[in-house]
Amino acid sequence: DTVLTQSPALAVSPGERVSISCRASEGVNSYMHWYQQKPGQQPKLLIYKASNLASGVPARFSGSGSGTDFTLTIDPVEADDTATYFCQQSWNDPFTFGSGTKLEIK
Amino acid sequence: QVQLQQSGAELVKPGSSVKISCKASGYTFTSYDMHWIKQQPGNGLEWIGWIYPGNGNTKYNQKFNGKATLTADKSSSTAYMQLSSLTSEDSAVYFCARGEIRGTLDYWGQGVMVTVSS
């Protein structure tokens, strides 16, 4: 299976820029997607196919990367962005998710 | 607006089966895959598989072969997942999610907590 590696946690102040990385154990073309999950809620799609902003998602969120290295950037960060962020690949079978990066806003 | 409404929490005994549902509205049910995802407490997300309600085709994560069975009822726009031979390892929250461009999960249900306990 394709393993997706994310940093476990980050802490930033409001107004700063934060980048969350996701590294795949093998190439996933551009089929990397990013989700935000707040406690007790379902995940919400933020970015699809590496760099495309999902409908209704603020332009503060952006994605980049291809192959095996991908980044989700939030600029500027707001207090409401406190959540866990997951990457997911849908190029290789089975689809897999990263273990999530917990973002704390100081 | 697209909505996926899942059934309520389940408390089931080890060795039994459970069937959970996901009722779709706001879009053409037969035109999109429906995916199922497992999330254990404090853990990440595991993809179980998908069903295409238009023709009933399914694709499973090999890990869940024999554990999960996906079905869909076009008349009620409802997708189902049955989990069998339940053990404590199956205790988790299970989400349904609509599949867009090759595995992009653009809308999610609210999740169903399944607890396996005697």
Side-chain angles (χ1 to χ4, degrees):
Chain A
D1 297 1
T2 304
V3 175
L4 303 181
T5 301
Q6 298 183 245
S7 299
L10 288 170
V12 297
S13 299
E16 291 184 345
R17 170 189 170 113
V18 65
S19 292
I20 298 171
S21 66
C22 178
R23 174 163 288 177
S25 61
E26 57 186 322
V28 299
N29 201 317
S30 62
Y31 286 87
M32 185 68 79
H33 321 293
W34 290 93
Y35 302 87
Q36 176 193 66
Q37 186 178 33
K38 297 182 178 180
Q41 296 185 17
Q42 67 269 50
K44 172 188 173 184
L45 177 66
L46 297 175
I47 300 289
Y48 65 95
K49 282 195 71 181
S51 60
N52 297 279
L53 195 65
S55 176
V57 175
R60 303 183 293 105
F61 293 88
S62 63
S64 63
S66 65
T68 60
D69 289 294
F70 297 85
T71 302
L72 171 71
T73 300
I74 312 172
D75 186 16
V77 165
E78 296 182 358
D80 188 52
D81 298 334
T82 297
T84 300
Y85 293 82
F86 293 95
C87 53
Q88 175 233 344
Q89 67 81 22
S90 61
W91 182 249
N92 299 313
D93 179 34
F95 299 163
T96 51
F97 292 85
S99 55
T101 297
K102 191 169 186 177
L103 181 64
E104 177 197 340
I105 312 302
K106 299 178 203 172
Chain B
Q1 70 283 20
V2 174
Q3 289 190 337
L4 301 176
Q5 183 65 40
Q6 297 189 242
S7 47
E10 299 273 3
L11 173 60
V12 293
K13 295 193 183 309
S16 67
S17 298
V18 68
K19 191 171 186 177
I20 59 181
S21 66
C22 172
K23 182 171 176 57
S25 60
Y27 72 98
T28 303
F29 179 65
T30 51
S31 297
Y32 293 82
D33 298 336
M34 188 70 77
H35 295 247
W36 291 86
I37 299 96
K38 176 182 182 181
Q39 186 170 39
Q40 289 179 297
N43 286 8
L45 299 156
E46 279 189 288
W47 176 75
I48 296 170
W50 57 255
I51 183 167
Y52 184 67
N55 57 16
N57 282 355
T58 55
K59 170 72 174 175
Y60 293 92
N61 181 338
Q62 196 169 1
K63 177 180 177 179
F64 291 91
N65 269 334
K67 170 62 67 178
T69 302
L70 305 182
T71 57
D73 177 5
K74 290 189 280 190
S75 67
S76 63
S77 297
T78 303
Y80 298 92
M81 178 174 67
Q82 179 162 316
L83 299 169
S84 60
S85 303
L86 292 165
T87 72
S88 60
E89 284 301 303
D90 298 314
S91 292
V93 176
Y94 292 88
F95 295 100
C96 60
R98 191 180 80 162
E100 244 291 3
I101 315 163
R102 194 192 166 110
T104 304
L105 307 173
D106 62 350
Y107 291 92
W108 293 61
Q110 82 276 20
V112 175
M113 179 167 288
V114 174
T115 304
V116 183
S117 174
S118 54

PDB file of all heavy atoms in Angstrom, chain A residues 1 5 9 15 19 24 26 29 34 42 45 52-53 55 57 67 73-74 77 79 81 89-90 93 98 101 104 106:
ATOM      1  N   ASP A   1       0.830  -1.201   0.000  1.00  0.00           N
ATOM      2  CA  ASP A   1       0.000   0.000   0.000  1.00  0.00           C
ATOM      3  C   ASP A   1       0.867   1.255   0.000  1.00  0.00           C
ATOM      4  O   ASP A   1       1.986   1.240   0.517  1.00  0.00           O
ATOM      5  CB  ASP A   1      -0.908   0.017   1.245  1.00  0.00           C
ATOM      6  CG  ASP A   1      -1.905  -1.126   1.290  1.00  0.00           C
ATOM      7  OD1 ASP A   1      -1.877  -1.971   0.349  1.00  0.00           O
ATOM      8  OD2 ASP A   1      -2.697  -1.179   2.242  1.00  0.00           O
ATOM      9  N   THR A   5       3.079  10.042   4.590  1.00  0.00           N
ATOM     10  CA  THR A   5       3.697  10.480   5.838  1.00  0.00           C
ATOM     11  C   THR A   5       3.464  11.966   6.055  1.00  0.00           C
ATOM     12  O   THR A   5       3.815  12.793   5.204  1.00  0.00           O
ATOM     13  CB  THR A   5       5.199  10.180   5.813  1.00  0.00           C
ATOM     14  OG1 THR A   5       5.392   8.763   5.634  1.00  0.00           O
ATOM     15  CG2 THR A   5       5.855  10.598   7.127  1.00  0.00           C
ATOM     16  N   ALA A   9       2.058  17.230  14.261  1.00  0.00           N
ATOM     17  CA  ALA A   9       1.445  18.426  14.823  1.00  0.00           C
ATOM     18  C   ALA A   9       2.248  19.671  14.487  1.00  0.00           C
ATOM     19  O   ALA A   9       3.468  19.615  14.294  1.00  0.00           O
ATOM     20  CB  ALA A   9       1.320  18.300  16.342  1.00  0.00           C
ATOM     21  N   GLY A  15      -2.668  34.791  11.558  1.00  0.00           N
ATOM     22  CA  GLY A  15      -2.039  35.714  10.635  1.00  0.00           C
ATOM     23  C   GLY A  15      -0.784  35.177   9.984  1.00  0.00           C
ATOM     24  O   GLY A  15      -0.325  35.736   8.976  1.00  0.00           O
ATOM     25  N   SER A  19       2.628  25.661   6.347  1.00  0.00           N
ATOM     26  CA  SER A  19       2.673  24.647   5.295  1.00  0.00           C
ATOM     27  C   SER A  19       2.674  23.269   5.936  1.00  0.00           C
ATOM     28  O   SER A  19       3.461  22.997   6.847  1.00  0.00           O
ATOM     29  CB  SER A  19       3.930  24.833   4.436  1.00  0.00           C
ATOM     30  OG  SER A  19       3.839  26.027   3.689  1.00  0.00           O
ATOM     31  N   ALA A  24       4.557  10.741  -0.124  1.00  0.00           N
ATOM     32  CA  ALA A  24       4.065   9.412  -0.503  1.00  0.00           C
ATOM     33  C   ALA A  24       5.229   8.453  -0.719  1.00  0.00           C
ATOM     34  O   ALA A  24       6.278   8.844  -1.230  1.00  0.00           O
ATOM     35  CB  ALA A  24       3.224   9.513  -1.765  1.00  0.00           C
ATOM     36  N   GLU A  26       5.358   6.141  -2.815  1.00  0.00           N
ATOM     37  CA  GLU A  26       5.494   5.926  -4.259  1.00  0.00           C
ATOM     38  C   GLU A  26       4.679   6.988  -4.966  1.00  0.00           C
ATOM     39  O   GLU A  26       3.838   7.646  -4.356  1.00  0.00           O
ATOM     40  CB  GLU A  26       5.026   4.515  -4.641  1.00  0.00           C
ATOM     41  CG  GLU A  26       3.601   4.198  -4.248  1.00  0.00           C
ATOM     42  CD  GLU A  26       3.224   2.747  -4.509  1.00  0.00           C
ATOM     43  OE1 GLU A  26       3.659   2.184  -5.534  1.00  0.00           O
ATOM     44  OE2 GLU A  26       2.483   2.188  -3.685  1.00  0.00           O
ATOM     45  N   ASN A  29       1.030  10.508  -9.027  1.00  0.00           N
ATOM     46  CA  ASN A  29       0.673  11.437 -10.101  1.00  0.00           C
ATOM     47  C   ASN A  29       0.237  12.737  -9.424  1.00  0.00           C
ATOM     48  O   ASN A  29       0.943  13.253  -8.556  1.00  0.00           O
ATOM     49  CB  ASN A  29      -0.418  10.821 -10.958  1.00  0.00           C
ATOM     50  CG  ASN A  29      -0.510  11.449 -12.343  1.00  0.00           C
ATOM     51  OD1 ASN A  29      -0.436  12.671 -12.481  1.00  0.00           O
ATOM     52  ND2 ASN A  29      -0.694  10.641 -13.363  1.00  0.00           N
ATOM     53  N   TRP A  34      -6.657  16.921  -0.050  1.00  0.00           N
ATOM     54  CA  TRP A  34      -6.502  17.370   1.345  1.00  0.00           C
ATOM     55  C   TRP A  34      -7.870  17.589   1.981  1.00  0.00           C
ATOM     56  O   TRP A  34      -8.775  18.152   1.352  1.00  0.00           O
ATOM     57  CB  TRP A  34      -5.717  18.665   1.395  1.00  0.00           C
ATOM     58  CG  TRP A  34      -4.276  18.534   1.035  1.00  0.00           C
ATOM     59  CD1 TRP A  34      -3.716  18.709  -0.192  1.00  0.00           C
ATOM     60  CD2 TRP A  34      -3.201  18.209   1.926  1.00  0.00           C
ATOM     61  NE1 TRP A  34      -2.358  18.515  -0.137  1.00  0.00           N
ATOM     62  CE2 TRP A  34      -2.008  18.203   1.167  1.00  0.00           C
ATOM     63  CE3 TRP A  34      -3.112  17.939   3.295  1.00  0.00           C
ATOM     64  CZ2 TRP A  34      -0.759  17.941   1.721  1.00  0.00           C
ATOM     65  CZ3 TRP A  34      -1.872  17.673   3.848  1.00  0.00           C
ATOM     66  CH2 TRP A  34      -0.712  17.684   3.065  1.00  0.00           C
ATOM     67  N   GLN A  42     -17.276  15.254  10.387  1.00  0.00           N
ATOM     68  CA  GLN A  42     -16.751  14.526   9.260  1.00  0.00           C
ATOM     69  C   GLN A  42     -15.668  15.347   8.573  1.00  0.00           C
ATOM     70  O   GLN A  42     -15.639  16.575   8.678  1.00  0.00           O
ATOM     71  CB  GLN A  42     -17.872  14.180   8.267  1.00  0.00           C
ATOM     72  CG  GLN A  42     -18.506  15.370   7.558  1.00  0.00           C
ATOM     73  CD  GLN A  42     -19.704  15.931   8.281  1.00  0.00           C
ATOM     74  OE1 GLN A  42     -19.651  16.205   9.477  1.00  0.00           O
ATOM     75  NE2 GLN A  42     -20.802  16.093   7.559  1.00  0.00           N
ATOM     76  N   LEU A  45     -13.547  18.284   2.301  1.00  0.00           N
ATOM     77  CA  LEU A  45     -12.586  18.416   1.209  1.00  0.00           C
ATOM     78  C   LEU A  45     -12.135  19.865   1.070  1.00  0.00           C
ATOM     79  O   LEU A  45     -12.962  20.774   0.978  1.00  0.00           O
ATOM     80  CB  LEU A  45     -13.225  17.946  -0.108  1.00  0.00           C
ATOM     81  CG  LEU A  45     -12.363  18.077  -1.363  1.00  0.00           C
ATOM     82  CD1 LEU A  45     -11.154  17.138  -1.299  1.00  0.00           C
ATOM     83  CD2 LEU A  45     -13.210  17.794  -2.610  1.00  0.00           C
ATOM     84  N   ASN A  52      -6.206  22.040  -6.707  1.00  0.00           N
ATOM     85  CA  ASN A  52      -7.505  22.616  -7.058  1.00  0.00           C
ATOM     86  C   ASN A  52      -8.332  22.888  -5.800  1.00  0.00           C
ATOM     87  O   ASN A  52      -8.567  21.968  -5.000  1.00  0.00           O
ATOM     88  CB  ASN A  52      -8.260  21.672  -7.987  1.00  0.00           C
ATOM     89  CG  ASN A  52      -7.532  21.482  -9.296  1.00  0.00           C
ATOM     90  OD1 ASN A  52      -7.623  22.300 -10.194  1.00  0.00           O
ATOM     91  ND2 ASN A  52      -6.766  20.394  -9.401  1.00  0.00           N
ATOM     92  N   LEU A  53      -8.803  24.113  -5.671  1.00  0.00           N
ATOM     93  CA  LEU A  53      -9.571  24.506  -4.495  1.00  0.00           C
ATOM     94  C   LEU A  53     -10.996  23.961  -4.608  1.00  0.00           C
ATOM     95  O   LEU A  53     -11.675  24.176  -5.616  1.00  0.00           O
ATOM     96  CB  LEU A  53      -9.590  26.030  -4.402  1.00  0.00           C
ATOM     97  CG  LEU A  53     -10.019  26.668  -3.090  1.00  0.00           C
ATOM     98  CD1 LEU A  53      -9.041  26.353  -1.969  1.00  0.00           C
ATOM     99  CD2 LEU A  53     -10.154  28.189  -3.263  1.00  0.00           C
ATOM    100  N   SER A  55     -15.031  23.608  -3.885  1.00  0.00           N
ATOM    101  CA  SER A  55     -16.085  24.605  -3.874  1.00  0.00           C
ATOM    102  C   SER A  55     -16.338  25.128  -2.462  1.00  0.00           C
ATOM    103  O   SER A  55     -16.461  24.357  -1.510  1.00  0.00           O
ATOM    104  CB  SER A  55     -17.367  23.990  -4.427  1.00  0.00           C
ATOM    105  OG  SER A  55     -18.430  24.891  -4.349  1.00  0.00           O
ATOM    106  N   VAL A  57     -14.386  26.721  -0.459  1.00  0.00           N
ATOM    107  CA  VAL A  57     -13.220  26.788   0.438  1.00  0.00           C
ATOM    108  C   VAL A  57     -12.502  28.124   0.236  1.00  0.00           C
ATOM    109  O   VAL A  57     -12.261  28.521  -0.908  1.00  0.00           O
ATOM    110  CB  VAL A  57     -12.259  25.608   0.161  1.00  0.00           C
ATOM    111  CG1 VAL A  57     -10.988  25.734   0.997  1.00  0.00           C
ATOM    112  CG2 VAL A  57     -12.958  24.287   0.455  1.00  0.00           C
ATOM    113  N   GLY A  67       3.875  13.932  -7.950  1.00  0.00           N
ATOM    114  CA  GLY A  67       4.744  12.772  -7.733  1.00  0.00           C
ATOM    115  C   GLY A  67       4.639  12.206  -6.330  1.00  0.00           C
ATOM    116  O   GLY A  67       3.708  11.461  -6.025  1.00  0.00           O
ATOM    117  N   THR A  73      -0.963  24.667   2.049  1.00  0.00           N
ATOM    118  CA  THR A  73      -0.579  25.931   2.657  1.00  0.00           C
ATOM    119  C   THR A  73      -1.814  26.709   3.071  1.00  0.00           C
ATOM    120  O   THR A  73      -2.793  26.763   2.320  1.00  0.00           O
ATOM    121  CB  THR A  73       0.276  26.767   1.685  1.00  0.00           C
ATOM    122  OG1 THR A  73       1.461  26.028   1.345  1.00  0.00           O
ATOM    123  CG2 THR A  73       0.678  28.098   2.300  1.00  0.00           C
ATOM    124  N   ILE A  74      -1.752  27.284   4.252  1.00  0.00           N
ATOM    125  CA  ILE A  74      -2.815  28.170   4.723  1.00  0.00           C
ATOM    126  C   ILE A  74      -2.172  29.530   4.991  1.00  0.00           C
ATOM    127  O   ILE A  74      -1.232  29.630   5.777  1.00  0.00           O
ATOM    128  CB  ILE A  74      -3.481  27.654   6.017  1.00  0.00           C
ATOM    129  CG1 ILE A  74      -3.855  26.175   5.908  1.00  0.00           C
ATOM    130  CG2 ILE A  74      -4.730  28.479   6.332  1.00  0.00           C
ATOM    131  CD1 ILE A  74      -4.347  25.552   7.218  1.00  0.00           C
ATOM    132  N   VAL A  77      -3.329  32.151   8.438  1.00  0.00           N
ATOM    133  CA  VAL A  77      -4.054  31.241   9.320  1.00  0.00           C
ATOM    134  C   VAL A  77      -5.025  32.031  10.198  1.00  0.00           C
ATOM    135  O   VAL A  77      -4.718  33.124  10.661  1.00  0.00           O
ATOM    136  CB  VAL A  77      -3.045  30.463  10.201  1.00  0.00           C
ATOM    137  CG1 VAL A  77      -3.747  29.788  11.355  1.00  0.00           C
ATOM    138  CG2 VAL A  77      -2.301  29.436   9.377  1.00  0.00           C
ATOM    139  N   ALA A  79      -8.046  31.591  13.531  1.00  0.00           N
ATOM    140  CA  ALA A  79      -8.312  30.761  14.712  1.00  0.00           C
ATOM    141  C   ALA A  79      -9.198  29.559  14.374  1.00  0.00           C
ATOM    142  O   ALA A  79      -9.032  28.466  14.924  1.00  0.00           O
ATOM    143  CB  ALA A  79      -8.943  31.605  15.811  1.00  0.00           C
ATOM    144  N   ASP A  81      -9.128  27.706  11.955  1.00  0.00           N
ATOM    145  CA  ASP A  81      -8.421  26.651  11.211  1.00  0.00           C
ATOM    146  C   ASP A  81      -7.890  25.546  12.131  1.00  0.00           C
ATOM    147  O   ASP A  81      -7.282  24.582  11.650  1.00  0.00           O
ATOM    148  CB  ASP A  81      -7.265  27.260  10.403  1.00  0.00           C
ATOM    149  CG  ASP A  81      -7.751  28.250   9.360  1.00  0.00           C
ATOM    150  OD1 ASP A  81      -8.911  28.131   8.912  1.00  0.00           O
ATOM    151  OD2 ASP A  81      -6.973  29.161   9.008  1.00  0.00           O
ATOM    152  N   GLN A  89      -4.442   9.794  -1.121  1.00  0.00           N
ATOM    153  CA  GLN A  89      -4.094   9.552  -2.520  1.00  0.00           C
ATOM    154  C   GLN A  89      -5.117   8.602  -3.136  1.00  0.00           C
ATOM    155  O   GLN A  89      -5.593   7.664  -2.481  1.00  0.00           O
ATOM    156  CB  GLN A  89      -2.665   9.010  -2.655  1.00  0.00           C
ATOM    157  CG  GLN A  89      -2.409   7.624  -2.084  1.00  0.00           C
ATOM    158  CD  GLN A  89      -2.835   6.494  -3.001  1.00  0.00           C
ATOM    159  OE1 GLN A  89      -2.953   6.667  -4.235  1.00  0.00           O
ATOM    160  NE2 GLN A  89      -3.086   5.311  -2.422  1.00  0.00           N
ATOM    161  N   SER A  90      -5.442   8.870  -4.394  1.00  0.00           N
ATOM    162  CA  SER A  90      -6.395   8.008  -5.099  1.00  0.00           C
ATOM    163  C   SER A  90      -5.826   7.576  -6.451  1.00  0.00           C
ATOM    164  O   SER A  90      -6.570   7.371  -7.414  1.00  0.00           O
ATOM    165  CB  SER A  90      -7.738   8.726  -5.269  1.00  0.00           C
ATOM    166  OG  SER A  90      -7.582   9.910  -6.031  1.00  0.00           O
ATOM    167  N   ASP A  93      -3.956   1.613  -5.764  1.00  0.00           N
ATOM    168  CA  ASP A  93      -4.926   0.770  -5.062  1.00  0.00           C
ATOM    169  C   ASP A  93      -4.226   0.038  -3.921  1.00  0.00           C
ATOM    170  O   ASP A  93      -3.203  -0.610  -4.157  1.00  0.00           O
ATOM    171  CB  ASP A  93      -5.518  -0.249  -6.044  1.00  0.00           C
ATOM    172  CG  ASP A  93      -6.511  -1.189  -5.405  1.00  0.00           C
ATOM    173  OD1 ASP A  93      -7.233  -0.755  -4.476  1.00  0.00           O
ATOM    174  OD2 ASP A  93      -6.580  -2.360  -5.819  1.00  0.00           O
ATOM    175  N   GLY A  98      -3.063   9.855   4.869  1.00  0.00           N
ATOM    176  CA  GLY A  98      -2.023  10.137   5.844  1.00  0.00           C
ATOM    177  C   GLY A  98      -2.600  10.042   7.248  1.00  0.00           C
ATOM    178  O   GLY A  98      -3.815  10.001   7.439  1.00  0.00           O
ATOM    179  N   THR A 101      -2.205  15.752  10.363  1.00  0.00           N
ATOM    180  CA  THR A 101      -1.410  16.775  11.047  1.00  0.00           C
ATOM    181  C   THR A 101      -2.361  17.631  11.863  1.00  0.00           C
ATOM    182  O   THR A 101      -3.283  18.246  11.312  1.00  0.00           O
ATOM    183  CB  THR A 101      -0.653  17.665  10.048  1.00  0.00           C
ATOM    184  OG1 THR A 101       0.280  16.865   9.316  1.00  0.00           O
ATOM    185  CG2 THR A 101       0.072  18.789  10.768  1.00  0.00           C
ATOM    186  N   GLU A 104      -2.574  23.515  15.665  1.00  0.00           N
ATOM    187  CA  GLU A 104      -2.998  24.318  16.803  1.00  0.00           C
ATOM    188  C   GLU A 104      -2.728  25.776  16.485  1.00  0.00           C
ATOM    189  O   GLU A 104      -1.647  26.120  15.987  1.00  0.00           O
ATOM    190  CB  GLU A 104      -2.230  23.906  18.064  1.00  0.00           C
ATOM    191  CG  GLU A 104      -2.552  24.752  19.283  1.00  0.00           C
ATOM    192  CD  GLU A 104      -1.519  24.613  20.396  1.00  0.00           C
ATOM    193  OE1 GLU A 104      -0.774  23.615  20.415  1.00  0.00           O
ATOM    194  OE2 GLU A 104      -1.454  25.529  21.245  1.00  0.00           O
ATOM    195  N   LYS A 106      -2.090  29.247  18.153  1.00  0.00           N
ATOM    196  CA  LYS A 106      -1.678  29.742  19.478  1.00  0.00           C
ATOM    197  C   LYS A 106      -2.541  30.911  19.936  1.00  0.00           C
ATOM    198  O   LYS A 106      -2.982  31.725  19.103  1.00  0.00           O
ATOM    199  CB  LYS A 106      -0.216  30.184  19.433  1.00  0.00           C
ATOM    200  CG  LYS A 106       0.763  29.085  19.075  1.00  0.00           C
ATOM    201  CD  LYS A 106       2.161  29.687  19.013  1.00  0.00           C
ATOM    202  CE  LYS A 106       3.086  28.878  18.175  1.00  0.00           C
ATOM    203  NZ  LYS A 106       4.381  29.523  17.949  1.00  0.00           N
TER     204      LYS A 106
END
